[in-house]
């Protein structure tokens, strides 16, 4: 690219050494820039390919994660059994309440039908001798209603649906929750061995390849774990597997733990507020007692002065 010309010694004009060094440095600098411009750019496809390969393979379970899973197994079993007993008791109480309500409705409907039959008999006896009067009154009512405007049968025409979008506490309606059926469902009662089997099965499913989706049973068990033993997911490896297998479920677990922290903080705040109020009340009572004692001393002095005057 660059061609250096030889300098004859018999030429009168001579280049200084510093000028030659500067020219050589410039040539080397330009050559280095050209080489850096033509260097290949790193391709992200290798990173994505490596990630896809990792996602398609199961992850080995570390010793610390296995120990934590083993540690929380009996705790989860005890909590799950307690939850099943509570759900069963609630179901039985709701069933009993529904049965009593249905009996009351049956009695009310029977009484109403009997009252209706008796009223119809009385009305028949009373209207027989006064047929002319009834006909006359019916004609008067019909004539008086002639000028009434007809009622539009379609009352929903041009009606706008008022959707409550308020975000204030207590102002937003529960339309979505009202659509959920509140009919009591009989809970599924699992034995201790079945609970342990589902626990182990779900933990093993977390370490399966990311490309293998979780089953509905495993997702349900994970939600129960997040509710009953949330401390299990404080392990970094276990939490990472949940996030990799089901990011949405991981967000639900995080939200649940955040709400638990908020509730715990609210309990602490309430206790501190009650303690502060108790201290303020005790201080007011002490001040009140001191004031009363001062009044008692003044009254005693007044009584002593009154006796001296007497």
């Amino acid at each position: 690219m660059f061609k250096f010309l030889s300098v004859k010694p018999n030429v009168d004009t001579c280049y200084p050494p510093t000028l030659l060094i500067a020219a050589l440095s410039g040539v080397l600098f330009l050559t280095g820039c050209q080489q850096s411009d033509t260097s290949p750019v790193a391709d992200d496809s290798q990173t994505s390919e490596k990630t896809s390969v990792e996602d398609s393979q199961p992850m080995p379970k570390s010793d610390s994660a296995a120990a934590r899973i083993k540690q929380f197994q009996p705790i989860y079993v005890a909590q799950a059994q307690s939850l099943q007993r509570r759900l069963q008791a609630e179901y039985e109480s709701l069933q009993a309440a529904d049965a009593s309500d249905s009996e009351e409705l049956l009695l009310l409907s029977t009484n109403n039908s009997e009252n209706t039959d008796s009223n119809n008999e009385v009305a028949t006896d009373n209207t027989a001798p006064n047929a002319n009067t009834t006909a006359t009154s019916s004609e008067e009512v019909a004539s008086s209603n002639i000028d009434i405007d007809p009622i539009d049968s379609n009352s929903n025409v041009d009606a706008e649906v008022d959707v409550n979008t308020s975000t204030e506490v207590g102002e937003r309606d529960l339309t979505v929750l009202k659509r959920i059926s509140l009919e009591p469902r009989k809970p599924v009662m699992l034995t201790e061995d079945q609970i342990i089997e589902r626990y182990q099965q779900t933990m093993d499913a977390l370490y399966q390849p990311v490309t293998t989706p979780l089953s509905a049973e495993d997702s349900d068990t994970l939600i129960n774990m997040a509710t009953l033993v949330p401390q299990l997911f404080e392990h970094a490896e276990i939490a990472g597997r949940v996030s990799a297998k089901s990011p949405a479920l991981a967000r639900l677990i995080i939200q649940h733990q955040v709400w638990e922290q908020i509730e715990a903080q609210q309990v602490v705040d309430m206790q501190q507020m009650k303690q502060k109020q108790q201290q303020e009340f005790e201080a007011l009572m002490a001040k009140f007692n001191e004031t009363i004692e001062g009044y008692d001393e003044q009254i005693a002095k007044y009584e002593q002065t009154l006796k001296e005057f007497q």
Side-chain angles (χ1 to χ4, degrees):
M1 181 183 295
F2 295 94
K3 185 177 181 181
F4 295 98
L5 299 176
S6 61
V7 182
K8 295 180 180 180
N10 57 356
V11 179
D12 297 335
T13 305
C14 181
Y15 293 99
T18 56
L19 183 61
L20 293 175
I21 293 173
L24 182 60
S25 300
V27 171
L28 293 175
F29 177 74
L30 292 174
T31 306
C33 291
Q34 289 180 354
Q35 290 178 357
S36 63
D37 292 340
T38 57
S39 60
V41 180
D43 191 3
D44 294 337
S45 60
Q46 297 178 357
T47 305
S48 61
E49 183 179 357
K50 182 180 179 181
T51 304
S52 62
V53 171
E54 292 178 354
D55 292 344
S56 61
Q57 295 178 355
M59 178 180 176
K61 190 182 302 180
S62 65
D63 295 337
S64 61
R68 192 173 186 87
I69 293 171
K70 183 178 180 181
Q71 175 188 0
F72 278 90
Q73 175 181 318
I75 302 175
Y76 173 73
V77 172
Q79 294 289 342
Q81 290 177 340
S82 177
L83 176 62
Q84 288 183 164
R85 289 191 295 268
R86 292 198 304 269
L87 293 176
Q88 182 66 24
E90 292 178 358
Y91 174 76
E92 292 176 356
S93 62
L94 289 174
Q95 288 290 101
D98 291 342
S100 61
D101 292 340
S102 61
E103 290 178 358
E104 291 179 358
L105 291 175
L106 180 61
L107 291 174
L108 289 175
S109 61
T110 304
N111 294 332
N112 291 332
S113 62
E114 292 177 356
N115 293 331
T116 304
D117 295 338
S118 61
N119 291 333
N120 290 334
E121 292 177 358
V122 173
T124 304
D125 295 339
N126 292 333
T127 54
N130 297 326
N132 296 329
T133 306
T134 305
T136 305
S137 59
S138 300
E139 293 176 357
E140 292 176 355
V141 172
S143 61
S144 61
N145 291 334
I146 294 176
D147 297 333
I148 296 178
D149 296 333
I151 300 176
D152 188 4
S153 60
N154 189 4
S155 58
N156 295 326
V157 176
D158 299 333
E160 296 181 357
V161 179
D162 186 12
V163 180
N164 187 3
T165 58
S166 176
T167 57
E168 296 295 332
V169 177
E171 292 186 1
R172 187 172 181 83
D173 56 7
L174 302 178
T175 305
V176 178
L177 293 180
K178 291 177 182 177
R179 294 175 182 173
I180 299 176
S181 176
L182 299 179
E183 183 179 356
R185 297 180 60 184
K186 187 175 182 179
V188 179
M189 303 297 291
L190 301 177
T191 62
E192 181 178 355
D193 294 337
Q194 290 175 339
I195 296 174
I196 295 175
E197 182 181 358
R198 287 195 178 186
Y199 179 86
Q200 294 294 341
Q201 178 182 346
T202 302
M203 289 292 99
D204 293 339
L206 286 181
Y207 285 86
Q208 294 302 315
V210 177
T211 54
T212 304
L214 293 173
S215 63
E217 183 176 300
D218 293 337
S219 298
D220 184 65
T221 306
L222 278 176
I223 294 175
N224 290 335
M225 290 179 184
T227 306
L228 301 176
V229 285
Q231 298 83 5
L232 172 64
F233 300 99
E234 293 178 1
H235 193 276
E237 180 180 308
I238 301 175
R241 293 307 301 172
V242 175
S243 179
K245 292 287 292 183
S246 179
L249 187 59
R251 288 193 295 270
L252 287 177
I253 293 174
I254 293 174
Q255 290 177 1
H256 177 73
Q257 293 182 352
V258 168
W259 276 113
E260 283 190 340
Q261 293 178 358
I262 292 174
E263 290 178 355
Q265 185 62 39
Q266 288 178 348
V267 171
V268 173
D269 294 341
M270 289 294 294
Q271 292 177 351
Q272 292 178 353
M273 184 179 66
K274 289 181 179 179
Q275 185 177 3
K276 184 178 179 181
Q277 290 178 350
Q278 182 67 24
Q279 292 176 354
E280 292 177 353
F281 177 76
E282 292 177 355
L284 290 174
M285 289 300 298
K287 187 175 181 180
F288 177 76
N289 292 331
E290 291 176 359
T291 305
I292 293 298
E293 290 177 358
Y295 290 155
D296 292 339
E297 292 177 359
Q298 292 181 1
I299 292 172
K301 289 180 181 180
Y302 291 151
E303 289 179 352
Q304 183 65 28
T305 304
L306 182 59
K307 288 180 181 180
E308 291 177 357
F309 280 123
Q310 292 178 351

